[in-house]
Amino acid sequence: MEFWSVLDLVFTAQGPSEWAHWPFGPSFVGSWLNMLTKFVFIGFVLALMMYLLRYLFGPGGPMREDPHCESSDEQILEQAVAILRKRMMEGKIESEEFERAKKLLEQ
């Protein structure tokens, strides 16, 4: 007896399972109602996965916000003053304009 015929005998001896075609088996097996319910079920699962991913990682989602990336007002003010100081050192603005802009930022 050949090896392949033994494998065929082993795998076909049990017969088809009752779950052989549900929910992700061949689509066009059975009646049209069976086929329609399979597509609806698969569509529902995919829509649920998309909704959960959108909720978790979408705009304002709980998994999207990173507390380490938030800049405080003091950090933003320091960055703006550093830019002004750099522009003054390059000669693009005068010291009076630097002081005026710094006072405006601190308000």
Side-chain angles (χ1 to χ4, degrees):
M1 194 172 232
E2 282 186 37
F3 177 72
W4 298 112
S5 61
V6 171
L7 283 181
D8 286 340
L9 181 64
V10 170
F11 288 116
T12 58
Q14 295 177 357
S17 168
E18 64 184 73
W19 296 100
H21 300 295
W22 179 259
F24 300 109
S27 302
F28 301 108
V29 174
S31 68
W32 66 271
L33 184 60
N34 189 13
M35 179 182 66
L36 183 66
T37 54
K38 288 178 193 181
F39 285 126
V40 169
F41 177 75
I42 292 170
F44 175 74
V45 169
L46 291 176
L48 182 65
M49 288 172 45
M50 287 174 29
Y51 173 76
L52 287 175
L53 288 173
R54 169 86 172 163
Y55 170 74
L56 290 174
F57 299 105
M63 301 297 283
R64 185 177 177 123
E65 297 298 324
D66 189 9
H68 302 294
C69 290
E70 294 179 8
S71 296
S72 67
D73 291 339
E74 296 157 359
Q75 291 174 339
I76 294 171
L77 178 63
E78 289 174 10
Q79 290 173 354
V81 170
I83 291 171
L84 283 172
R85 189 172 289 119
K86 181 180 175 185
R87 291 184 69 196
M88 184 179 70
M89 294 171 94
E90 291 173 349
K92 293 182 180 177
I93 60 172
E94 300 292 325
S95 61
E96 296 86 20
E97 190 176 349
F98 169 78
E99 292 298 327
R100 196 172 347 122
K102 185 177 173 185
K103 285 180 187 178
L104 281 173
L105 287 172
E106 291 174 349
Q107 289 180 355

